[in-house]
Amino acid sequence: MKTDPSSTGDCYQAARNTLFELWLRRERGDLGVKDVRLVHGTIVSSCGDAAGRRIDHAWVELNGDTVVERSNGNDITMGKDDYCRLLQAVEDARYTLEETYREINRANRFGPWHK
């Protein structure tokens, strides 16, 4: 299944914003936020013209077992295994906050950077 590069949305920017928000919560003492990572990969879309096609996507993993998804007006938090199964998510790369900002500055875009 090929990736559909024509599908657009705000997932890369939304994931960056979510990463930063969760990192701030951790820095302010939220014990529920131990680790947070930005993930770039692909999913099989269920929406619009891209329905049924594999598209580039970004999401955030919280504590290694939870996905926080806020792209395109969504506000979803679910177990990583369920997220990966439902969206057929495949991870290509993961980034810490520091790596995320380094890549944004280097590439002058929110993502993807691994392609």
Side-chain angles (χ1 to χ4, degrees), residues 52-76:
R53 293 195 305 241
R54 184 159 291 282
I55 60 171
D56 291 328
H57 194 58
W59 60 92
V60 173
E61 284 185 13
L62 174 63
N63 302 332
D65 62 1
T66 302
V67 170
V68 180
E69 166 74 63
R70 294 195 178 137
S71 65
N72 303 317
N74 290 308
D75 189 4
I76 300 167

Side-chain angles (χ1 to χ4, degrees), residues 63-100:
N63 302 332
D65 62 1
T66 302
V67 170
V68 180
E69 166 74 63
R70 294 195 178 137
S71 65
N72 303 317
N74 290 308
D75 189 4
I76 300 167
T77 301
M78 68 171 43
K80 177 182 174 180
D81 291 342
D82 290 337
Y83 182 87
C84 290
R85 186 181 70 255
L86 289 170
L87 297 175
Q88 299 176 45
V90 175
E91 176 184 321
D92 292 326
R94 64 179 39 240
Y95 305 92
T96 64
L97 180 78
E98 294 81 11
E99 292 166 337
T100 296

